[in-house]
Amino acid sequence: MAEAPKDLEERTAEFAEAVREFVRRLPRTIANIEDVKQLVRASGSVPANCIEANEALGNKDRVMRFRISRKEAKECQLWLRLVNVGENQDIDAERKRLRQEAHELKLIFTSIIKKLE
């Protein structure tokens, strides 16, 4: 496998978009304001580095970019865990779904990295 499938670029971009939609619904607390900044940054880094991996100059660069995507997906799991959703069960369900997607993306990147090394 020389590069990630193009649909992985789309899947990661959709994840970043879903995170942005999710954070708009969160309660505005001091902690959330800070955690959301980190979450938005990390979620955007996942597709950005996936795209960079597909445009990599060589295998070492490609592996490094996928490692960064994996690291950022893992970081998203943490920030999603930490944000305060209040008492809203719908927002909590969306958080769980996003944490699961971040976990699945992390596993996909791990698999790609193993194949490339």
Side-chain angles (χ1 to χ4, degrees):
M1 171 184 241
E3 63 181 43
K6 294 295 181 194
D7 61 340
L8 184 57
E9 285 184 15
E10 182 62 24
R11 182 172 174 175
T12 57
E14 287 173 3
F15 171 71
E17 291 168 349
V19 165
R20 280 147 181 77
E21 184 63 33
F22 167 75
V23 300
R24 285 188 201 97
R25 300 173 59 204
L26 290 173
R28 287 196 156 296
T29 65
I30 292 170
N32 272 358
I33 289 168
E34 293 305 313
D35 292 344
V36 160
K37 288 178 188 177
Q38 296 292 329
L39 174 57
V40 168
R41 243 182 242 119
S43 69
S45 185
V46 175
N49 279 286
C50 184
I51 290 166
E52 288 293 321
N54 283 337
E55 302 298 324
L57 299 174
N59 198 54
K60 284 177 97 172
D61 185 37
R62 183 169 286 112
V63 169
M64 181 190 74
R65 296 294 178 179
F66 283 133
R67 281 188 175 150
I68 294 170
S69 285
R70 179 179 63 188
K71 177 184 82 67
E72 298 291 346
K74 193 172 183 179
E75 193 175 311
C76 286
Q77 289 179 282
L78 170 67
W79 298 120
L80 285 162
R81 175 183 174 178
L82 294 178
V83 294
N84 176 0
V85 297
E87 301 297 320
N88 190 315
Q89 296 300 315
D90 291 337
I91 296 174
D92 193 40
E94 180 64 7
R95 172 177 48 185
K96 289 175 183 166
R97 189 191 72 72
L98 289 169
R99 282 187 76 193
Q100 180 62 35
E101 178 65 1
H103 176 70
E104 289 176 18
L105 289 170
K106 183 183 71 172
L107 294 176
I108 291 167
F109 290 122
T110 298
S111 174
I112 291 170
I113 291 164
K114 285 181 180 179
K115 289 178 183 177
L116 290 172
E117 291 182 319

